[in-house]
Amino acid sequence: MPIIEDEQRTIEYTLTTLSDVHFIKIYLDDLNGAHVTAPEAKSTDKVDDFLHKKTQWMKEKWQKLHQDLYKSVEWDSDQPVRITYLGRAYQVMMEPGTQTRFYFSKGKFFFTYPEQLTQQEIQSELERAKEEWLKEKAEEKFNSLHKWTILPEPDKLRLGYKEERTIYLNWRLIQRPKQKIATVVDDLIEERTY
């Protein structure tokens, strides 16, 4: 599968070349990611150049389609900070300390951060810790959802893909309820497109 890489991410895509097509088209399948159709006469370099120009558009479009997977931790002074895990939003208990710690216990997240950090640094550190924790949980939980082998993969602007008897899921799906994750797995097994 061809890829486009920039400083932030790798985008894998499916390329179809056709003789009766006169321009390059990008289609973002809600499940499987980017599909590119190009004229047979276009060189691979020209297709790559075009796609590099469109990476920001693809990223924005994908994140708009899947807003629930890309929500940053919300900081509203009137509401407690919450993080979504397996479809439920759990409160984050925060306090200054000597080092960064992040864990989940008894239905709440706990986040300790160095006292000298600014508000923006605290937010950034919490976002980093949240993503690291969710990636670890995706690795633990995905395989228990189905009889097929299910492994997490980096965020490649797709929900996942199937390879023989293994399903690879975007780690961000760990934020959705188990039933919705199972639906994505079934759709990948059945090779559906959205």
Side-chain angles (χ1 to χ4, degrees):
M1 194 173 269
I3 62 169
I4 312 163
E5 289 187 284
D6 66 11
E7 58 280 348
Q8 294 176 324
R9 74 172 15 93
T10 299
I11 301 173
E12 293 191 21
Y13 63 94
T14 304
L15 176 63
T16 304
T17 56
L18 300 170
S19 60
D20 61 343
V21 171
H22 302 291
F23 51 91
I24 300 169
K25 293 189 282 186
I26 302 170
Y27 169 70
L28 290 179
D29 177 316
D30 191 39
L31 179 65
N32 302 291
H35 294 271
V36 178
T37 305
E40 283 180 345
K42 280 272 192 223
S43 72
T44 306
D45 289 342
K46 290 204 184 237
V47 173
D48 284 348
D49 289 345
F50 177 79
L51 293 175
H52 276 288
K53 292 175 188 172
K54 295 294 186 181
T55 54
Q56 186 62 29
W57 173 83
M58 285 190 281
K59 176 185 167 197
E60 289 170 6
K61 180 82 169 162
W62 182 258
Q63 289 182 0
K64 189 175 180 182
L65 285 169
H66 301 284
Q67 291 178 1
D68 62 323
L69 302 180
Y70 294 93
K71 274 195 312 192
S72 295
V73 176
E74 294 182 27
W75 296 79
D76 182 349
S77 58
D78 296 338
Q79 300 291 324
V81 175
R82 296 188 174 278
I83 292 175
T84 303
Y85 169 57
L86 291 175
R88 291 190 55 204
Y90 295 95
Q91 186 174 351
V92 180
M93 308 303 291
M94 300 189 311
E95 65 180 25
T98 56
Q99 63 183 14
T100 300
R101 289 186 63 221
F102 183 84
Y103 61 96
F104 185 77
S105 178
K106 298 179 183 174
K108 291 183 182 177
F109 285 101
F110 293 86
F111 176 61
T112 307
Y113 54 89
E115 289 183 47
Q116 70 274 16
L117 296 183
T118 66
Q119 185 66 24
Q120 186 175 358
E121 290 169 332
I122 293 168
Q123 290 174 348
S124 178
E125 188 62 20
L126 177 58
E127 193 67 37
R128 184 202 59 74
K130 173 197 88 164
E131 287 194 2
E132 186 177 297
W133 188 89
L134 289 172
K135 285 177 186 177
E136 288 174 15
K137 286 300 170 188
E139 197 161 326
E140 283 177 29
K141 300 284 184 185
F142 280 171
N143 212 28
S144 67
L145 297 175
H146 203 278
K147 61 186 176 214
W148 280 46
T149 301
I150 302 174
L151 301 171
E153 73 163 346
D155 181 15
K156 294 184 178 179
L157 299 193
R158 64 181 179 200
L159 297 182
Y161 74 100
K162 175 177 89 168
E163 185 176 89
E164 295 178 20
R165 297 250 341 135
T166 302
I167 297 292
Y168 295 88
L169 291 180
N170 186 323
W171 68 266
R172 291 179 181 277
L173 284 169
I174 197 67
Q175 297 171 89
R176 289 189 178 165
K178 287 182 182 180
Q179 185 55 46
K180 286 189 177 184
I181 299 169
T183 299
V184 170
V185 171
D186 290 340
D187 289 346
L188 289 166
I189 290 170
E190 297 297 320
E191 298 182 8
R192 294 185 182 111
T193 57
Y194 295 161

